[in-house]
Amino acid sequence: MATCPMTAPPSDQHHEYCYMDISIAGSEPRTVVFLLDTRTCPKTSQNFAALCASSAVAKRPSSKGGSSSNANPTPTPTPTYRNTEFHRIKPGFMVQGGDFASFDGTGGHSIHGSTFPDESFAIKHDAEGILSMANRGANTNGSQFFVTLARAPHLDGKHVAFGKVVHGMNVIREMASVEVDERDRPIAMQRIVVVDCGVGMGNLGDVNNKSAKKGDIKKKKKHRRRDRSASSSSSSSSSSASSYDEDDSNGISRSRDKRRKRARSQSRSRSRDRNPRRRRSKERRKKKKRKSKSWHRDREDEDRRRSRKHSSRSNRKHRKRSRSR
């Protein structure tokens, strides 16, 4: 298959993130962000990033057949992931896409040629969200890729894993729940389409940049405040003694206010005591208390005396009876 020449983006730290805006069954597209391991698999990561960064739009081939003599020769499709579909869904295993030529898993090629050799098997398929290359055997990597939905150790040493999903794994899980036919392809009403793709983090990157800018603005404001406080402290270093004196005077004035309040409350209580009516009422209350206390005491004494008298009388009667007997 002839390949279309295409320039790949430079493999630096700014191109280690790639994103895809994926629409499931015509729903609003949501972003999935991949982190590419450019150190372990630079060539594979470069291929994937180039296909994401391409401005071309993939077109689904027409299903109508025609005679080869009359029909125009189909142009070579431009390698890109934009408008491609995830053509194979295996719940609990993986989701596969990247066929920009046939849309069914039989087409596609890389930017390095029709295929390129396996680069490294250092990254293992030991978790969900592992980004790996699909192939037809050893050293047949093209444009198709898949994302794991669970651990797949049986793929280690057979497929080149070169990245992972860092955002949007819930979208990948939802992709695995669509209805498929007997060939594990989503039905027509539930197609999974890559609406947009590119290098970076997409809309998430814009949000992060905005938040970073806000953070920079806040830091600048903090630095300005610190500079102002430093300048004010340097300008007020000469008058520090006077400021301390002012603080002391403020503390003294507060203590004076407290003393004055206490004196006022004491004077009010004294003035109440000086009032003859209040004084008389207090004396009456005291007398009543004393009387009540004395009355209770007298009552208790009387009760005791009566009990003694009663006991003495009963003793006398008992003695007389004993004597008569």
Side-chain angles (χ1 to χ4, degrees):
M1 183 184 290
T3 59
C4 179
M6 181 177 180
T7 58
S11 57
D12 55 14
Q13 60 182 355
H14 299 292
H15 295 154
E16 61 183 0
Y17 287 100
C18 290
Y19 73 93
M20 289 184 179
D21 293 337
I22 300 172
S23 174
I24 303 172
S27 64
E28 186 178 354
R30 287 174 289 172
T31 304
V32 177
V33 180
F34 302 97
L35 176 63
L36 311 184
D37 194 342
T38 56
R39 292 183 180 178
T40 307
C41 303
K43 195 172 183 179
T44 310
S45 300
Q46 189 182 28
N47 177 61
F48 187 85
L51 292 171
C52 286
S54 174
S55 59
V57 179
K59 294 182 180 180
R60 174 181 279 275
S62 60
S63 59
K64 296 179 181 180
S67 60
S68 59
S69 59
N70 297 330
N72 295 325
T74 56
T76 304
T78 305
T80 182
Y81 286 143
R82 188 174 282 102
N83 202 40
T84 59
E85 298 178 6
F86 283 82
H87 58 270
R88 190 182 178 199
I89 306 297
K90 284 279 191 179
F93 177 36
M94 60 88 185
V95 293
Q96 184 174 337
D99 184 1
F100 56 83
S102 304
F103 283 61
D104 58 0
T106 60
H109 56 84
S110 71
I111 64 168
H112 306 296
S114 59
T115 59
F116 64 96
D118 298 329
E119 193 169 14
S120 173
F121 298 113
I123 302 174
K124 305 300 180 182
H125 302 79
D126 56 355
E128 68 172 2
I130 299 298
L131 178 63
S132 185
M133 292 299 294
N135 56 38
R136 296 186 297 274
N139 302 317
T140 57
N141 300 292
S143 63
Q144 296 186 39
F145 64 93
F146 64 89
V147 181
T148 60
L149 296 169
R151 293 178 68 255
H154 62 282
L155 300 179
D156 295 341
K158 299 177 181 179
H159 294 265
V160 178
F162 61 98
K164 63 181 179 179
V165 177
V166 293
H167 178 81
M169 193 60 207
N170 57 338
V171 181
I172 303 295
R173 296 190 194 102
E174 189 175 342
M175 289 162 59
S177 64
V178 300
E179 186 178 353
V180 297
D181 58 12
E182 64 276 4
R183 296 183 179 179
D184 299 325
R185 297 174 183 174
I187 61 175
M189 296 296 292
Q190 295 192 12
R191 288 175 179 168
I192 304 168
V193 182
V194 180
V195 178
D196 192 15
C197 57
V199 174
M201 300 184 72
N203 296 328
L204 296 176
D206 296 338
V207 173
N208 292 332
N209 290 332
K210 288 180 181 178
S211 61
K213 288 180 181 178
K214 288 181 181 179
D216 293 337
I217 291 168
K218 288 181 180 179
K219 286 180 181 178
K220 287 180 181 179
K221 287 182 179 179
K222 285 182 179 179
H223 286 305
R224 288 175 184 173
R225 289 173 185 171
R226 288 175 184 173
D227 294 337
R228 289 175 184 173
S229 62
S231 61
S232 62
S233 62
S234 61
S235 62
S236 62
S237 59
S238 59
S239 59
S240 59
S242 61
S243 63
Y244 290 134
D245 293 337
E246 289 177 359
D247 294 335
D248 294 337
S249 63
N250 291 329
I252 292 167
S253 63
R254 288 173 186 171
S255 62
R256 285 177 182 174
D257 293 337
K258 288 181 181 178
R259 289 173 186 173
R260 287 174 183 174
K261 286 181 181 179
R262 289 176 186 172
R264 286 174 186 172
S265 62
Q266 289 175 1
S267 64
R268 286 174 184 173
S269 62
R270 288 172 186 173
S271 64
R272 288 173 184 172
D273 295 337
R274 288 173 187 173
N275 192 347
R277 290 183 181 178
R278 289 181 179 277
R279 207 184 301 160
R280 288 171 189 170
S281 65
K282 277 187 177 181
E283 290 175 357
R284 288 172 186 172
R285 288 172 190 167
K286 287 180 181 179
K287 285 180 182 180
K288 284 182 180 180
K289 285 181 181 179
R290 288 171 187 170
K291 285 181 181 180
S292 64
K293 287 180 181 180
S294 62
W295 183 81
H296 283 294
R297 286 175 186 171
D298 296 340
R299 190 65 180 270
E300 288 176 358
D301 293 339
E302 287 181 5
D303 292 337
R304 287 173 186 170
R305 288 172 189 172
R306 287 178 183 177
S307 64
R308 286 175 185 174
K309 285 181 181 180
H310 182 71
S311 62
S312 62
R313 287 176 184 176
S314 63
N315 290 331
R316 287 174 187 174
K317 287 179 181 180
H318 182 69
R319 287 172 187 173
K320 285 179 181 180
R321 287 175 184 174
S322 62
R323 285 175 185 176
S324 62
R325 289 175 187 174

